[in-house]
Amino acid sequence: MITRLTPQDASFYRLESSSNPMHIGSLAIVRDPGSAGTDEGRSGYGTDEGRSGYGTDEGGFDGAAVGDRLGYDRLVELVEDRLPLVPRYRRKVREIPFALGRPVWVEDSQFDISYHVRRSALPGPGSDEQLYDLVARLASRPLDHTRPLWEMYLIEGLAGGRRAIFTKTHSALVDGSTALEIGHVILDTSPSPRELAADAWTARREPSEVQLLAMAAVELAGQPRQALEVLREAGANSFVGVTGRAVERAVALVRTVATGARDSPFHTRTSRNRRFDVVRTDLEDYRTIRKRFDCSINDVILAVVTGALRNFLQSRGEILTESAVLRAVVPMSVYVEGPHGDQLKPASEVSSFLIDLPVGEPNPVMRLSHIRHATEAHSRHRHSVRARTLVHMAGFAPASLHAMSVRAASTFAEHTFNLVITNAPGPQQPMYIGGARMLEMYPVSPLLRNQASSIGITSYDGNVFYGLNADRDAMADIGVLSAAVRESMEEMLGACVQ
């Protein structure tokens, strides 16, 4: 089956550069059935830093056979079984000769599952910090554009009877509607993986260059408007096109002076390398704050992030006036609570908008108030990407929701914001991968052009997990931002009892 990339898919595909790979990542930490977990090597776990550990009383899983391990062969088998649910994961991108149309998805006639599902190991007992360093290196590498645009790594050797699964998928591949992220479908609600009908897939023969050219010519002949669009895109590479883009950038710069984001450490030229760190917090704390100040979970999360950014900027020696703000692209209405405030589920669409985070405000309650009013004002004017299939399809939706949030964020002009914050809810009960219980799930959102850091947030099984992806050169102190998130949460909780 040959399908053409949508305009947004094509823009993501072409937006990628060596310093800005455009893949969405996710890091799942799991424990094998029957493993007796310990806290060895888990920096900050079991302390007041917000990373409470998983003790031996959580090591066993109901219904799972002791010693039934999630090894490489089992993971490959699981992924192969679930590929029919995400057929685009067997397809690669082919360019049209002479750029006579957007690229197309074609089935990879040489598809090799062992190329995409890989195996790695930490020197045991591996620490969490070693895992995050490895994830940062893996996230730094662009995907191979001659193959389907995804990779999955089984990372063994983690302390406490745990292992990790890191997945990265190109943003062009996931649209949240016709194509979901593979992390959405490999998880199950019980230790026993659900069975699917046998897949009789065989790769079709790939079209030749001549066939692709002929197909494009027929389409253009029948669609004059599309033909003009193709000529316009081709002109972008000419001298006139380059000159035109230079004029557009000049106009955008003038507009930025008036309406753009302030200068900050988060808006700078980026390198090819990344740093990654995480924070684990308790969802019940956010509910406590929500109830005390009559706001949404989204508002509380943004207030915690704002306080963390304030502390981080001050650690850098930034002078913050009370009116100082950081402009962020954030999702809107991705949490829907039940009638008693005890349920979280994905909303029917993902919306992103620009919001000024009041990092200059010293009072945490006032920061929350500013954010609540801003989100209420924007709720009537949404820039939406629909994801109705996510509501009805079983699975772990946050991976697809984060991908959609990044796609929505990319529609904003580069100089109009300082930071991208993606935020998606997950199920509030245990999930399993091949019988292994998932303990933690961290998003690894890409850095858009000249963005030094991105913050991905996911709630799961009573916790809220922060994944902090950052440029290695510009954000050598990413650990300070991680600590600032925990400090900001403590500050918000303290405000609840005043």
Side-chain angles (χ1 to χ4, degrees), residues 228-246:
L228 291 175
E229 183 65 27
V230 169
L231 291 175
R232 187 181 296 114
E233 291 181 2
N237 294 323
S238 67
F239 173 77
V240 175
V242 172
T243 304
R245 290 200 307 274

Side-chain angles (χ1 to χ4, degrees), residues 73-384:
D73 292 339
R74 168 172 286 195
L75 181 61
V76 169
E77 181 181 0
L78 176 65
V79 172
E80 282 189 305
D81 287 344
R82 303 296 166 87
L83 282 178
L85 301 176
V86 282
R88 195 175 282 184
Y89 275 67
R90 287 184 176 133
R91 298 170 188 167
K92 63 183 181 180
V93 176
R94 288 278 301 275
E95 295 277 1
I96 305 300
F98 309 112
L100 291 181
R102 295 189 302 273
V104 294
W105 297 106
V106 302
E107 292 186 353
D108 183 7
S109 61
Q110 304 296 322
F111 181 77
D112 179 5
I113 188 68
S114 64
Y115 175 85
H116 295 277
V117 182
R118 305 178 179 188
R119 191 174 192 173
S120 186
L122 301 173
S127 68
D128 287 25
E129 287 70 24
Q130 290 172 317
L131 173 63
Y132 306 150
D133 286 342
L134 176 58
V135 168
R137 290 196 297 273
L138 295 176
S140 302
R141 303 173 186 170
L143 293 161
D144 183 353
H145 282 218
T146 67
R147 296 175 179 268
L149 296 171
W150 66 280
E151 294 172 358
M152 179 181 292
Y153 294 82
L154 175 65
I155 303 172
E156 301 173 297
L158 199 56
R162 301 167 299 147
R163 57 192 64 206
I165 298 173
F166 175 63
T167 304
K168 60 182 188 180
T169 301
H170 201 286
S171 299
L173 193 153
V174 180
D175 64 13
S177 178
T178 59
L180 303 173
E181 206 271 347
I182 197 167
H184 196 129
V185 299
I186 65 171
L187 280 108
D188 296 291
T189 57
S190 74
S192 300
R194 64 188 186 275
E195 295 185 3
L196 301 177
D199 179 28
W201 178 84
T202 56
R204 300 180 183 182
R205 184 175 180 179
E206 293 184 28
S208 66
E209 298 286 291
V210 173
Q211 288 173 317
L212 290 176
L213 186 59
M215 181 181 70
V218 170
E219 290 181 359
L220 293 177
Q223 302 178 27
R225 182 175 297 179
Q226 183 176 339
L228 291 175
E229 183 65 27
V230 169
L231 291 175
R232 187 181 296 114
E233 291 181 2
N237 294 323
S238 67
F239 173 77
V240 175
V242 172
T243 304
R245 290 200 307 274
V247 172
E248 290 174 359
R249 284 195 296 269
V251 172
L253 181 59
V254 171
R255 290 175 178 171
T256 298
V257 171
T259 63
R262 71 187 291 270
D263 288 336
S264 79
F266 300 103
H267 196 199
T268 184
R269 184 181 297 274
T270 55
S271 69
R272 296 185 178 186
N273 301 311
R274 300 289 181 261
R275 295 181 187 272
F276 183 69
D277 204 1
V278 309
V279 183
R280 179 175 181 267
T281 58
D282 191 337
L283 178 59
E284 193 59 37
D285 289 340
Y286 296 85
R287 289 171 170 157
T288 298
I289 299 168
R290 176 194 60 78
K291 184 177 180 180
R292 171 66 175 81
F293 296 107
D294 190 25
C295 58
S296 70
I297 294 289
N298 270 342
D299 295 339
V300 179
I301 288 174
L302 289 177
V304 170
V305 171
T306 302
L309 294 173
R310 171 182 168 83
N311 294 343
F312 175 79
L313 291 172
Q314 289 180 326
S315 76
R316 287 272 187 108
E318 294 269 339
I319 305 299
L320 299 177
T321 65
E322 287 196 12
S323 61
V325 297
L326 280 182
R327 183 165 294 171
V329 179
V330 302
M332 186 71 178
S333 297
V334 295
Y335 283 91
V336 176
E337 298 188 34
H340 305 293
D342 57 351
Q343 296 177 342
L344 293 176
K345 64 179 181 179
S348 60
E349 60 185 27
V350 174
S351 305
S352 289
F353 70 99
L354 293 174
I355 183 172
D356 289 334
L357 303 178
V359 293
E361 173 56 60
N363 187 318
V365 178
M366 290 301 298
R367 289 197 295 265
L368 177 58
S369 177
H370 287 314
I371 289 169
R372 182 181 61 187
H373 289 303
T375 56
E376 288 176 351
H378 282 86
S379 64
R380 295 181 296 273
H381 305 285
R382 299 180 183 177
H383 186 76
S384 303

Side-chain angles (χ1 to χ4, degrees), residues 388-431:
R388 299 192 184 280
T389 56
L390 299 182
V391 181
H392 305 292
M393 182 174 180
F396 191 75
S400 295
L401 286 167
H402 281 289
M404 294 170 60
S405 295
V406 171
R407 290 167 72 95
S410 71
T411 63
F412 293 96
E414 173 189 335
H415 294 285
T416 59
F417 61 93
N418 302 107
L419 187 68
V420 176
I421 303 171
T422 63
N423 175 16
Q428 297 308 307
Q429 72 275 351
M431 301 291 287

